[in-house]
Amino acid sequence: DVVMTQSPLSLSVTLGQPASISCRSSQSLLYSDGNTYLSWFQQRPGQSPRRLIYEVSHRDSRVPDRFSGSGSGSDFTLKISRVEAEDVGVYYCMQGTQWPYTFGQGTKLEIK
Amino acid sequence: QIQLVQSGAEMKKPGASVRVSCKGSGYTFSNYAISWVRQAPGQGLEWIGWISDSNSNTYYSQKFQGRVTMTTDAFTTTAYMEVRSLRSDDTAVYYCARGVAVDHWGQGTLVTVSS
């Protein structure tokens, strides 16, 4: 199975400051069709996960543009340009390139 | 709007089975696979498997092979997942989601396994 490793596992950020989460995969996520199936999810307390980013850098509809994804191969990053109070929660990366699909351990974001 | 509405919480004894349902609306149900993911209390997300849209082929994580069955009913736009031989460590919130890209999620169904 592809192992997804996130860092840090927790993040304390001042409102208005940037935040960055790293996600590394144990093998390349580049699929034979030329796409890289790496997604990011946000899970607010008590809620279902919500997809923010798909295929590395494509933002889902209604996701604020302060969220951005980047990376390639086996090294990916989620950035929040200016953290807001509503961003508190746990963030997960997920690979959808090789079955079984796998999630990272999660990164808990809190406000300092 | 796209919605996935799951059945209510279940409490089961070890060794029993549970069936969770997931009704899709707001989109063409038969055009998308349905995926299932679970989350144990205080833990991360774990893929269980998915059922394809076109031919109802199923893909189960090896951990759940032989213990899980996923089905869909296109007429009622409802997906089902049955988990058999429940153990205490199956206690979790079970989520359905649209497609293998899991772009929309249900509200989750808490399954508690306890004697």
Side-chain angles (χ1 to χ4, degrees), chain A residues 1 39 41 43 47-51 54 60-62 92 94-96 99-105, chain B residues 37 39 43-50 59-62 95 100-108:
Chain A
D1 296 3
S39 301
F41 296 83
Q43 188 174 31
Q47 295 188 13
S48 300
R50 167 198 183 197
R51 197 179 71 176
Y54 63 97
D60 273 277
S61 59
R62 292 190 297 277
Y92 296 92
M94 186 206 89
Q95 67 84 15
W99 180 250
Y101 306 139
T102 45
F103 291 94
Q105 321 96 298
Chain B
V37 173
Q39 186 171 38
Q43 301 301 307
L45 301 169
E46 179 179 32
W47 269 89
I48 301 171
W50 55 281
Y59 302 82
Y60 303 137
S61 173
Q62 190 167 12
Y95 294 101
V100 292
V102 288
D103 59 354
H104 290 83
W105 293 59
Q107 84 276 21

Side-chain angles (χ1 to χ4, degrees), chain A residues 6 21 40-53 67 78 80 85-93 103-110, chain B residues 6 37-46 92-95 105-109:
Chain A
Q6 291 182 225
I21 300 170
W40 289 96
F41 296 83
Q42 174 195 62
Q43 188 174 31
R44 291 171 171 151
Q47 295 188 13
S48 300
R50 167 198 183 197
R51 197 179 71 176
L52 300 174
I53 303 282
F67 290 92
L78 175 71
I80 309 174
E86 66 178 19
D87 299 337
V88 164
V90 181
Y91 292 80
Y92 296 92
C93 60
F103 291 94
Q105 321 96 298
T107 295
K108 186 173 185 177
L109 175 67
E110 63 174 26
Chain B
Q6 299 183 225
V37 173
R38 77 176 186 180
Q39 186 171 38
Q43 301 301 307
L45 301 169
E46 179 179 32
V93 176
Y94 289 75
Y95 294 101
W105 293 59
Q107 84 276 21
T109 296

